[in-house]
Amino acid sequence: MIVRFGYVAMSVTVQNASPSKTMTMASFNKIGDREAAIRKLERIAAENLHNTLRLLRHNRASDVQVYRFSSKLIPLATHQDLRDWDPFQALAADFVEVGNYVKANRMRVSFHPDHFTVLSTPRPEVLQSSINDLKYHKAMLEAMGLGAEAKNNIHIGGAYGDKVTSGQRFVEQVSSLDLSLRERLTLENDDKTFNAVETLEACKLTGLPMVLDIHHQWVNNEGEKPWELWPDILDTWKGELAQAGSSVDHPLPPKIHASSPKSEKDPRGHADGVLVEPLLTFLRNIAGYTDRIDVMLEAKLKDEALFGLMNELRLQEDNGVKVLDGASVEIMP
């Protein structure tokens, strides 16, 4: 089984390369001249995209082919007071440059809209805001020229006092989305509300691929081992496996998230790095019937955590692990 590792948004090894520089609405309003303020927003966004391109080049040099974009590439993009602003024309060349680099180097990229994007909500205004946020993320991917293999990963959302009803509402509201939004979604189990078993059921009902977070599953489960769910989770990716993505080397493999607990007192928090176990145990349990898998590392030290994990995996080379390059390994069944 081929395993590729990626990281989230920021680098701690590349200096002065934040892709998430921002501006508050208060700062925007202080400028006084609205057009000048909008031009400043666009300059910040252009710098974020430039830094994203720098990170992608860093990733290529380090053999990292899996990467999650920052959702904050365009400051205030979805703010209600800027609904008349369309930043994409001014940023078109910057987005195309990022997208062309992704495609030329056959990288797998994604977004993870924040926790305010909830499709289980009973409130129409929150649902509309969530849909608008998904449209914003889709617009960024389209501006990059990336197809539906570039995904937006979400959680089911809140229980609102009745988890069964909220889960049903999520299924209904996802099913009502435009195909252009729905085809870009993946669904992840969370660490407090909808566990892996419940998330898997929602994936079966909606047709969304499931991103298994093994850390979340460890702190929020029904007694199952994560690999016991894997055959059914793998089935949720069959639609993706049937089509070759335009910017990936192979048909889109399943993806999981991995991180380590911050401490005994804070088991849900993310540590600086990622321990080899229990990740390696999980990978070994699924290697016999999984050809490829991508692993998004959600560690505080970002790319440094990835490089540290790779160093640990090199110590396992006599134990069924073969290091292929700077960010991928083969796990022997």
Side-chain angles (χ1 to χ4, degrees):
M1 177 177 71
I2 306 300
V3 185
R4 301 187 302 181
F5 296 101
Y7 69 96
V8 176
M10 307 285 288
S11 167
V12 300
T13 60
V14 181
Q15 299 300 307
N16 302 314
S18 171
S20 304
K21 295 181 179 180
T22 191
M23 177 194 289
T24 65
M25 199 65 205
S27 297
F28 179 92
N29 290 330
K30 284 180 182 177
I31 293 175
D33 184 328
R34 182 177 173 84
E35 286 303 311
I38 285 176
R39 297 292 85 77
K40 183 172 183 179
L41 282 178
E42 291 171 351
R43 287 195 299 274
I44 294 172
E47 184 176 358
N48 286 340
L49 287 162
H50 173 70
N51 283 340
T52 297
L53 188 60
R54 288 178 61 201
L55 294 177
L56 293 175
R57 288 171 175 153
H58 161 66
N59 292 350
R60 182 190 178 195
S62 304
D63 302 316
V64 178
Q65 292 184 289
V66 181
Y67 176 71
R68 182 191 301 168
F69 292 124
S70 167
S71 288
K72 299 177 181 178
L73 293 177
I74 308 177
L76 303 177
T78 58
H79 197 285
Q80 61 180 2
D81 292 342
L82 288 167
R83 284 176 292 184
D84 60 332
W85 172 46
D86 179 6
F88 287 98
Q89 182 174 356
L91 298 169
D94 303 279
F95 273 108
V96 166
E97 190 174 17
V98 170
N100 285 346
Y101 196 86
V102 168
K103 289 183 285 188
N105 292 284
R106 308 189 72 79
M107 295 174 170
R108 181 178 188 171
V109 293
S110 61
F111 281 110
H112 194 340
D114 68 26
H115 62 283
F116 295 111
T117 302
V118 285
L119 298 179
S120 64
T121 179
R123 297 170 56 190
E125 69 277 14
V126 174
L127 176 62
Q128 187 57 57
S129 176
S130 299
I131 292 172
N132 290 343
D133 196 51
L134 292 178
K135 288 180 177 178
Y136 158 62
H137 285 84
K138 176 182 74 106
M140 288 192 288
L141 293 169
E142 288 178 341
M144 294 177 193
L146 302 178
E149 76 282 353
K151 302 294 186 184
N152 294 317
N153 184 60
I154 61 171
H155 298 281
I156 293 177
Y160 303 100
D162 184 344
K163 189 158 67 167
V164 172
T165 299
S166 292
Q168 292 170 344
R169 187 165 53 241
F170 173 85
V171 170
E172 292 168 2
Q173 294 182 162
V174 164
S175 300
S176 297
L177 293 175
D178 289 344
L179 176 61
S180 64
L181 294 178
R182 199 168 64 246
E183 69 182 356
R184 288 193 184 269
L185 292 181
T186 57
L187 188 60
E188 176 191 353
N189 56 301
D190 69 62
D191 59 351
K192 291 183 179 179
T193 308
F194 287 93
N195 62 35
V197 173
E198 294 161 336
T199 302
L200 177 57
E201 181 60 25
C203 287
K204 291 177 179 179
L205 293 171
T206 57
L208 300 184
M210 179 172 170
V211 173
L212 174 66
D213 188 307
I214 60 174
H215 182 180
H216 290 172
Q217 191 275 337
W218 177 67
V219 297
N220 182 21
N221 62 72
E222 298 182 10
E224 77 283 351
K225 301 296 185 184
W227 50 85
E228 294 171 349
L229 301 176
W230 189 249
D232 284 344
I233 292 173
L234 200 55
D235 281 346
T236 70
W237 288 90
K238 282 186 174 177
E240 304 299 327
L241 291 166
Q243 59 179 13
S246 63
S247 63
V248 291
D249 281 326
H250 300 270
L252 200 62
K255 184 165 73 169
I256 68 167
H257 289 176
S259 53
S260 295
K262 185 176 182 179
S263 66
E264 289 186 12
K265 291 184 178 180
D266 183 11
R268 287 183 168 85
H270 291 178
D272 287 346
V274 178
L275 298 173
V276 170
E277 298 292 349
L279 174 58
L280 192 51
T281 296
F282 172 79
L283 295 175
R284 283 177 170 143
N285 271 281
I286 68 169
Y289 58 98
T290 308
D291 293 330
R292 307 181 66 87
I293 188 171
D294 290 337
V295 181
M296 181 63 70
L297 302 178
E298 297 185 315
K300 294 295 185 183
L301 288 182
K302 309 295 184 179
D303 53 342
E304 187 174 303
L306 189 160
F307 303 144
L309 178 64
M310 289 301 300
N311 287 336
E312 292 295 321
L313 288 168
R314 288 185 182 94
L315 300 177
Q316 300 286 331
E317 285 201 276
D318 292 330
N319 196 20
V321 176
K322 179 182 178 182
V323 174
L324 301 178
D325 58 31
S328 65
V329 299
E330 183 176 1
I331 306 293
M332 307 304 173

